[in-house]
Amino acid sequence: MTMAARDARLRALSPVFVDRVVLFVDGREIRPTNAEYLPPREERPGDLMPPLATFRLRGRMPSQARHLRWLYGLVIDPYPLKIRRADGRAVTEWIHGSDWSGVVDLSGQFRQVTRLEVARDYVALGYTHILPKGLDHILFVLGLFLLRLRVRPIFAQVTTFTVAHSITLALTMLGFVSLPSRIVEPLIALSIAYVAIENLMTDRLRPWRIVLVFGFGLLHGMGFASVLSDLGLPRDEFITALLSFNLGVEAGQLSVIAAAALCVMWCGQRPWYHRRVVVPISLAIAAIGGYWTVARAFL
């Protein structure tokens, strides 16, 4: 079995972990909200055992939690449960199959995060969702940038895109708007292909482009909301986290534009700029967007 096939099979088990892992906190059952598969690192000389894959479970723990019991209803063989405490101590217990763990003392392990800490964390999450993780959003922003190397068209498009995706990000997270990802993701890919193809045909900002960028921004906002839903938002600081994530996204987009501007600044005014720079890059973006559209819609 190839590593890619192995990772695909293990990643498909993520919902099983969400279903089978139970935490009993202060007499109340708590379930993970999602599970993320992390592939093992590459094996290195000197490793005594092959590197292990990891499933990272996320969920909400009461801030005043005092006692924890663990149940993993997926195995029948004994396994070790190791809990690393915030004070540096580690608690290890061997559990027999589907038995409950003993009671783990959580006293002093949780504290209420401040609004500033929430803002800092979600700005970072928004930024890293664009750089380096958001290749589809990076390509879309590059497609907007490449139309014309002038401040006005770049500003008009990016501002329109920002307003649009901010609207649907907020409405989706507040529960007013919802579209399944099987619809949103192919349309996001199609938007990437479209802006790149239009760059091949014109270097002028037409009114319909602004309208389409706004519509595409609405779709991208739903994509951002899907990621943010997986990450979760703190109920006590919902608005702070939402605005901070959006701010991080904007910072990521501006970083993409700044990096692109630095790369083409020296040749942007040359007569061959469109033919030698815009056309080949736009062709590549259009090809990637087209492939993603088909893959996300049919594969």
Side-chain angles (χ1 to χ4, degrees), residues 12 20 25 32 41-42 48 63 95 113 126 128 140 156 165 179 182 195 222 225 230 245 252 269 273 276 279 292-293:
R20 296 299 184 91
V25 179
R41 62 169 174 80
E42 293 185 2
L48 299 179
S63 60
I95 300 175
V113 295
T128 55
F140 183 81
H165 77 62
L179 278 179
R182 69 177 183 275
V195 295
M222 294 181 192
D230 290 340
F245 181 84
Q269 305 305 319
Y273 169 72
R276 296 185 183 179
V279 169
W292 281 344
T293 301

Short mmCIF file of all heavy atoms in Angstrom, two decimals, residues 12 20 25 32 41-42 48 63 95 113 126 128 140 156 165 179 182 195 222 225 230 245 252 269 273 276 279 292-293:
data_model
loop_
_atom_site.label_atom_id
_atom_site.label_comp_id
_atom_site.label_asym_id
_atom_site.label_seq_id
_atom_site.Cartn_x
_atom_site.Cartn_y
_atom_site.Cartn_z
N ALA A 12 -9.99 8.69 6.52
CA ALA A 12 -11.42 8.34 6.47
C ALA A 12 -11.94 7.85 7.82
O ALA A 12 -13.15 7.79 8.03
CB ALA A 12 -11.65 7.28 5.40
N ARG A 20 -16.53 7.45 18.61
CA ARG A 20 -16.19 6.45 19.61
C ARG A 20 -15.46 6.99 20.84
O ARG A 20 -15.31 6.26 21.82
CB ARG A 20 -15.33 5.36 18.96
CG ARG A 20 -16.04 4.58 17.87
CD ARG A 20 -17.27 3.85 18.41
NE ARG A 20 -17.90 3.03 17.39
CZ ARG A 20 -17.61 1.76 17.16
NH1 ARG A 20 -16.68 1.17 17.89
NH2 ARG A 20 -18.23 1.10 16.21
N VAL A 25 -16.83 14.47 31.97
CA VAL A 25 -16.24 15.58 32.73
C VAL A 25 -17.22 16.02 33.81
O VAL A 25 -18.33 16.48 33.49
CB VAL A 25 -15.89 16.76 31.81
CG1 VAL A 25 -15.29 17.91 32.61
CG2 VAL A 25 -14.92 16.31 30.72
N PRO A 32 -15.96 14.87 21.25
CA PRO A 32 -15.17 15.72 20.35
C PRO A 32 -16.06 16.29 19.26
O PRO A 32 -17.03 15.65 18.84
CB PRO A 32 -14.12 14.76 19.77
CG PRO A 32 -14.11 13.58 20.69
CD PRO A 32 -15.49 13.47 21.26
N ARG A 41 5.58 11.44 10.55
CA ARG A 41 6.75 12.02 9.90
C ARG A 41 7.52 10.92 9.19
O ARG A 41 7.28 9.72 9.39
CB ARG A 41 7.64 12.70 10.93
CG ARG A 41 8.19 11.76 11.99
CD ARG A 41 9.28 12.42 12.83
NE ARG A 41 9.71 11.58 13.93
CZ ARG A 41 10.56 10.57 13.81
NH1 ARG A 41 11.07 10.25 12.62
NH2 ARG A 41 10.92 9.85 14.87
N GLU A 42 8.47 11.31 8.35
CA GLU A 42 9.29 10.33 7.65
C GLU A 42 10.18 9.60 8.64
O GLU A 42 10.67 10.18 9.62
CB GLU A 42 10.14 11.02 6.59
CG GLU A 42 9.34 11.60 5.44
CD GLU A 42 10.24 12.17 4.36
OE1 GLU A 42 11.48 12.06 4.52
OE2 GLU A 42 9.71 12.72 3.38
N LEU A 48 13.74 3.49 16.65
CA LEU A 48 13.53 2.14 17.14
C LEU A 48 12.19 1.58 16.68
O LEU A 48 12.02 0.37 16.55
CB LEU A 48 13.61 2.12 18.67
CG LEU A 48 14.95 2.56 19.27
CD1 LEU A 48 14.89 2.54 20.79
CD2 LEU A 48 16.08 1.66 18.76
N SER A 63 -14.56 25.45 31.41
CA SER A 63 -13.40 26.15 31.96
C SER A 63 -13.14 25.79 33.42
O SER A 63 -12.01 25.92 33.90
CB SER A 63 -13.58 27.66 31.82
OG SER A 63 -14.74 28.09 32.51
N ILE A 95 -5.33 1.00 30.04
CA ILE A 95 -6.78 0.75 30.02
C ILE A 95 -7.04 -0.53 29.24
O ILE A 95 -6.45 -0.76 28.18
CB ILE A 95 -7.52 1.94 29.38
CG1 ILE A 95 -7.24 3.22 30.17
CG2 ILE A 95 -9.02 1.67 29.31
CD1 ILE A 95 -7.83 4.46 29.55
N VAL A 113 -9.51 32.34 28.95
CA VAL A 113 -8.63 33.14 28.10
C VAL A 113 -9.17 34.56 28.00
O VAL A 113 -10.38 34.79 28.08
CB VAL A 113 -8.50 32.52 26.69
CG1 VAL A 113 -7.83 31.17 26.76
CG2 VAL A 113 -9.86 32.40 26.02
N GLY A 126 -6.62 32.96 10.92
CA GLY A 126 -7.06 33.53 9.64
C GLY A 126 -5.91 33.74 8.68
O GLY A 126 -6.02 33.45 7.48
N THR A 128 -2.92 32.17 8.64
CA THR A 128 -2.35 30.90 8.16
C THR A 128 -3.32 30.15 7.26
O THR A 128 -2.89 29.29 6.48
CB THR A 128 -1.94 30.00 9.34
OG1 THR A 128 -3.07 29.80 10.21
CG2 THR A 128 -0.81 30.64 10.13
N PHE A 140 -6.72 32.86 -6.42
CA PHE A 140 -7.79 33.80 -6.78
C PHE A 140 -7.30 35.24 -6.62
O PHE A 140 -7.50 36.08 -7.51
CB PHE A 140 -9.02 33.56 -5.91
CG PHE A 140 -10.18 34.44 -6.28
CD1 PHE A 140 -11.01 34.12 -7.34
CD2 PHE A 140 -10.44 35.61 -5.57
CE1 PHE A 140 -12.08 34.94 -7.70
CE2 PHE A 140 -11.51 36.43 -5.92
CZ PHE A 140 -12.33 36.09 -6.98
N ALA A 156 -9.93 48.25 -6.12
CA ALA A 156 -11.37 48.05 -6.34
C ALA A 156 -11.74 46.58 -6.23
O ALA A 156 -12.75 46.22 -5.58
CB ALA A 156 -11.76 48.60 -7.71
N HIS A 165 -16.81 38.55 0.95
CA HIS A 165 -16.56 37.35 1.76
C HIS A 165 -16.76 37.62 3.25
O HIS A 165 -17.08 36.70 4.02
CB HIS A 165 -15.19 36.74 1.46
CG HIS A 165 -14.00 37.42 2.05
ND1 HIS A 165 -13.79 37.54 3.40
CD2 HIS A 165 -12.91 37.97 1.46
CE1 HIS A 165 -12.64 38.14 3.62
NE2 HIS A 165 -12.10 38.43 2.46
N LEU A 179 -24.76 26.60 2.58
CA LEU A 179 -24.72 25.83 1.35
C LEU A 179 -23.75 24.66 1.56
O LEU A 179 -22.71 24.83 2.19
CB LEU A 179 -24.23 26.68 0.17
CG LEU A 179 -25.24 27.58 -0.53
CD1 LEU A 179 -24.56 28.35 -1.66
CD2 LEU A 179 -26.40 26.78 -1.10
N ARG A 182 -20.12 20.60 -1.19
CA ARG A 182 -20.05 19.98 -2.52
C ARG A 182 -20.49 20.96 -3.61
O ARG A 182 -20.19 20.75 -4.80
CB ARG A 182 -20.90 18.72 -2.56
CG ARG A 182 -22.39 18.94 -2.47
CD ARG A 182 -23.17 17.63 -2.58
NE ARG A 182 -24.60 17.85 -2.57
CZ ARG A 182 -25.34 17.96 -1.49
NH1 ARG A 182 -24.76 17.85 -0.30
NH2 ARG A 182 -26.65 18.15 -1.56
N VAL A 195 -11.40 34.20 -13.38
CA VAL A 195 -10.64 35.45 -13.34
C VAL A 195 -9.34 35.31 -14.13
O VAL A 195 -8.88 36.27 -14.76
CB VAL A 195 -10.36 35.91 -11.89
CG1 VAL A 195 -11.66 36.26 -11.18
CG2 VAL A 195 -9.59 34.87 -11.11
N MET A 222 -18.12 31.64 2.27
CA MET A 222 -18.67 30.38 2.76
C MET A 222 -17.56 29.34 2.95
O MET A 222 -17.62 28.52 3.86
CB MET A 222 -19.73 29.85 1.79
CG MET A 222 -20.96 30.73 1.70
SD MET A 222 -22.19 30.04 0.56
CE MET A 222 -23.30 31.44 0.39
N ALA A 225 -15.93 30.15 6.13
CA ALA A 225 -16.80 29.76 7.25
C ALA A 225 -16.72 28.27 7.52
O ALA A 225 -16.80 27.84 8.67
CB ALA A 225 -18.25 30.17 6.94
N ASP A 230 -15.00 24.29 11.56
CA ASP A 230 -14.19 23.17 12.04
C ASP A 230 -13.32 23.57 13.22
O ASP A 230 -13.12 22.79 14.16
CB ASP A 230 -13.31 22.63 10.91
CG ASP A 230 -14.11 21.92 9.83
OD1 ASP A 230 -15.26 21.52 10.12
OD2 ASP A 230 -13.60 21.79 8.70
N PHE A 245 -10.53 36.51 13.01
CA PHE A 245 -10.24 35.57 11.93
C PHE A 245 -10.31 36.29 10.58
O PHE A 245 -9.44 36.11 9.72
CB PHE A 245 -11.24 34.42 11.97
CG PHE A 245 -11.02 33.38 10.90
CD1 PHE A 245 -10.10 32.36 11.08
CD2 PHE A 245 -11.75 33.41 9.71
CE1 PHE A 245 -9.89 31.39 10.11
CE2 PHE A 245 -11.55 32.45 8.73
CZ PHE A 245 -10.62 31.44 8.93
N GLY A 252 -3.51 38.13 5.33
CA GLY A 252 -2.93 37.14 4.43
C GLY A 252 -3.06 37.55 2.97
O GLY A 252 -2.12 37.41 2.18
N GLN A 269 5.93 47.81 -16.07
CA GLN A 269 5.69 48.85 -17.06
C GLN A 269 6.29 48.50 -18.43
O GLN A 269 6.20 49.31 -19.35
CB GLN A 269 6.28 50.18 -16.57
CG GLN A 269 5.76 50.61 -15.20
CD GLN A 269 4.26 50.69 -15.14
OE1 GLN A 269 3.62 51.16 -16.08
NE2 GLN A 269 3.68 50.24 -14.03
N TYR A 273 5.08 42.97 -20.60
CA TYR A 273 4.63 42.47 -19.29
C TYR A 273 3.41 41.56 -19.42
O TYR A 273 3.38 40.45 -18.86
CB TYR A 273 4.31 43.64 -18.36
CG TYR A 273 3.60 43.24 -17.09
CD1 TYR A 273 4.27 42.55 -16.07
CD2 TYR A 273 2.25 43.53 -16.90
CE1 TYR A 273 3.62 42.18 -14.91
CE2 TYR A 273 1.59 43.16 -15.74
CZ TYR A 273 2.28 42.49 -14.75
OH TYR A 273 1.63 42.11 -13.61
N ARG A 276 4.38 38.21 -21.50
CA ARG A 276 5.35 37.29 -20.93
C ARG A 276 5.10 36.95 -19.46
O ARG A 276 5.64 35.95 -18.96
CB ARG A 276 6.76 37.87 -21.07
CG ARG A 276 7.21 38.04 -22.50
CD ARG A 276 8.65 38.51 -22.55
NE ARG A 276 9.10 38.77 -23.91
CZ ARG A 276 10.32 39.20 -24.23
NH1 ARG A 276 11.21 39.43 -23.26
NH2 ARG A 276 10.65 39.42 -25.48
N VAL A 279 0.07 36.46 -19.14
CA VAL A 279 -0.51 35.36 -19.91
C VAL A 279 -0.06 33.99 -19.39
O VAL A 279 -0.91 33.13 -19.09
CB VAL A 279 -0.19 35.52 -21.41
CG1 VAL A 279 -0.56 34.24 -22.17
CG2 VAL A 279 -0.96 36.71 -21.98
N TRP A 292 -9.36 21.71 -10.57
CA TRP A 292 -10.03 21.64 -9.27
C TRP A 292 -11.55 21.62 -9.43
O TRP A 292 -12.24 20.94 -8.67
CB TRP A 292 -9.62 22.83 -8.41
CG TRP A 292 -8.28 22.69 -7.77
CD1 TRP A 292 -7.56 21.54 -7.62
CD2 TRP A 292 -7.51 23.73 -7.17
NE1 TRP A 292 -6.38 21.80 -6.97
CE2 TRP A 292 -6.32 23.14 -6.68
CE3 TRP A 292 -7.69 25.10 -7.02
CZ2 TRP A 292 -5.33 23.87 -6.04
CZ3 TRP A 292 -6.71 25.84 -6.38
CH2 TRP A 292 -5.54 25.23 -5.90
N THR A 293 -12.06 22.37 -10.40
CA THR A 293 -13.51 22.39 -10.61
C THR A 293 -14.02 20.99 -10.93
O THR A 293 -15.01 20.52 -10.35
CB THR A 293 -13.87 23.35 -11.76
OG1 THR A 293 -13.40 24.67 -11.45
CG2 THR A 293 -15.38 23.39 -11.97
#
